[in-house]
Amino acid sequence: MAARAPVETAAMRRAIELAARGLGHTSPNPVVGCVVLDPGGRTVGEGWHQRAGGPHAEVHALRAAGERARGGTAVVTLEPCNHTGRTGPCARALIDAGIARVVYAVSDPTPAATGGAVTLAEAGVDVEGGLLADEAAAGNEAWLTAVLRRRPFVLWKYAATLDGRIAAADGTSRWISSPESRADVHRLRAAADAVIVGSGTARADDPQLGARISGLSDDEISQPLRVVVDSGATAVKAGARVLDGTAPTLIAVAEDADAAHLEGLAPLLRLPRAADGRGLSIPALLQALYERDVRSVLLEGGPTLAGAFLAAQAVDKVVGYLAPVLLGAGPAAVGDAGITTIAQALRLEVTGTERLGPDLRITATPLRHSRHEEN
Ligand SMILES: NC(=O)c1ccc[n+]([C@@H]2O[C@H](COP(=O)([O-])OP(=O)(O)OC[C@H]3O[C@@H](n4cnc5c(N)ncnc54)[C@H](OP(=O)(O)O)[C@@H]3O)[C@@H](O)[C@H]2O)c1
């Protein structure tokens, strides 16, 4: 096996950057980037998986490289696939192009696609996995989590005052956070397959839930599916901004809800009620979205729904925008999450902090199972 050359590490960094361009466009597939180097180590082709059903990253990069790929190295963020889905297997495309070496970052965990590395090696290609694996896995966090948990990856976002409130006592909340933080939320929406709010937020704010990014045209932005969790079908009415037709919308209602007034306005998702009687079943909601190819969800709250997701252990990552504002009264960022004593507190690991205008953005991941281990 050839030694890892710095040029391969640089190519993998570039491939990870390229992969990120696919975020929001590729579900149910992962994001993947590929750089093809000629035998002299020069970049002769680049590609990324641009949309589900379209060519994979390797195919784009091989096309760009043409004959210059022969005897060269393909640097890919994910193990090349081995199966024929809507497109042919990438392992075969790499062999046919005369690639001599394949360096990939993360092994493909899906049973159908795995085995690409073995196929390549059996064809005499020098194969090496694991290069910048953590960085590449972070770029594919949502897809890898969804494959593992067989439900969409859930990122819960909230904007709070320094005293932890997400609205004033009268329910008004616009705006707690800065324009910079709100622009960041639009980027999160564009990278997500679906955005979810509860009926309380739909009633209070009439949110539009679309992604708008300054400098990008509508064609360049992937709009998420908008989901309102409205058990009784009482919050969303004709004329609601979420029904403006700029992106698909789903209204999740209880199996027994009278939703005749929503017919023709938006598709309904009929779901069982939660076992505790409070709203709809969160696992059933996530399962139904997964079956619709949703692999990443941005949960925008409000606090009641966020509490239910936390209680269901269905939050994978938290992004909190903390604004230097005090309200003194008003709802807290999260409602009842089934935690009654300090020993049950859900603890998180902070994975990032950033200043956005006057605000502080904190990214954190729940330390899973800690509540159960301590009990
Ligand atoms: N600053 C922020 O980041 C932010 C973000 C969002 C909202 N907000 C603010 O939050 C306030 C609204 O808060 P909220 O807590 O009333 O709204 P919410 O969490 O959006 O909606 C709560 C409602 O969702 C429904 N629901 C459906 N399934 C549920 C389940 N399994 N568990 C819990 N609820 C379920 C319930 O009503 P049904 O069962 O009747 O449908 C419940 O009352 C507004 O003032 C809004 O401005 C602030």
Side-chain angles (χ1 to χ4, degrees):
M1 190 183 287
R4 273 177 188 166
V7 69
E8 290 179 356
T9 305
M12 185 63 86
R13 286 232 153 76
R14 174 69 181 152
I16 293 168
E17 270 172 33
L18 292 168
R21 296 187 185 175
L23 281 170
H25 302 267
T26 63
S27 287
N29 296 342
V31 293
V32 186
C34 177
V35 171
V36 172
L37 305 171
D38 71 6
R42 285 174 293 265
T43 296
V44 289
E46 292 188 342
W48 69 97
H49 187 36
Q50 298 175 5
R51 57 177 180 84
H56 289 187
E58 296 91 322
V59 173
H60 281 296
L62 288 172
R63 274 186 200 156
E67 270 306 302
R68 293 172 298 171
R70 203 154 289 281
T73 298
V75 178
V76 201
T77 56
L78 186 70
E79 178 185 355
C81 75
N82 200 31
H83 74 307
T84 304
R86 284 183 274 188
T87 61
C90 291
R92 175 48 48 201
L94 291 161
I95 294 163
D96 291 347
I99 286 288
R101 175 167 159 81
V102 170
V103 181
Y104 65 90
V106 178
S107 297
D108 193 322
T110 50
T114 195
V118 172
T119 300
L120 287 161
E122 282 173 358
V125 177
D126 178 26
V127 185
E128 189 175 344
L131 178 59
L132 300 185
D134 289 349
E135 285 172 46
N140 238 335
E141 178 183 35
W143 182 80
L144 288 167
T145 305
V147 167
L148 184 72
R149 304 198 194 284
R150 302 205 59 74
R151 61 152 175 83
F153 171 83
V154 177
L155 171 62
W156 168 45
K157 149 280 140 177
Y158 69 91
T161 62
L162 211 50
D163 55 339
R165 300 176 196 280
I166 54 82
D170 67 356
T172 52
S173 64
R174 290 179 169 175
W175 297 105
I176 284 174
S177 57
S178 65
E180 292 89 340
S181 293
R182 295 192 323 260
D184 195 60
V185 171
H186 281 265
R187 285 190 286 274
L188 296 183
R189 285 182 183 169
D193 296 333
V195 174
I196 302 182
V197 293
S199 57
T201 300
R203 231 178 248 117
D205 299 343
D206 187 19
Q208 195 264 350
L209 300 179
R212 291 171 297 281
I213 301 176
S214 136
L216 291 187
S217 68
D218 289 351
D219 292 349
E220 293 170 295
I221 302 171
S222 166
Q223 292 296 335
L225 169 70
R226 302 174 289 185
V227 181
V228 181
V229 189
D230 182 11
S231 316
T234 56
V236 180
K237 306 225 162 64
R241 295 176 70 220
V242 80
L243 301 176
D244 66 3
T246 56
T249 300
L250 262 184
I251 314 293
V253 302
E255 283 159 340
D256 57 358
D258 176 2
H261 61 288
L262 288 171
E263 252 163 54
L265 289 179
L268 298 182
L269 183 60
R270 295 264 177 197
L271 294 175
R273 290 185 186 272
D276 65 3
R278 287 190 295 180
L280 301 176
S281 159
I282 302 296
L285 168 66
L286 291 175
Q287 187 58 41
L289 293 176
Y290 189 84
E291 284 163 12
R292 283 166 170 73
D293 285 349
V294 170
R295 295 293 178 269
S296 63
V297 156
L298 179 66
L299 174 65
E300 294 211 17
T304 308
L305 195 60
F309 268 74
L310 287 165
Q313 297 198 22
V315 172
D316 300 301
K317 195 170 182 177
V318 180
V319 174
Y321 299 88
L322 281 188
V325 177
L326 296 172
L327 277 166
V334 65
D336 182 6
I339 298 166
T340 53
T341 182
I342 193 70
Q344 298 173 335
L346 177 60
R347 296 188 187 273
L348 303 111
E349 182 192 3
V350 173
T351 54
T353 54
E354 201 183 327
R355 288 298 297 266
L356 286 176
D359 301 343
L360 180 63
R361 184 180 78 165
I362 300 183
T363 309
T365 49
L367 294 171
R368 265 171 211 288
H369 311 306
S370 59
R371 289 161 65 183
H372 302 289
E373 282 161 11
E374 284 167 17
N375 287 342

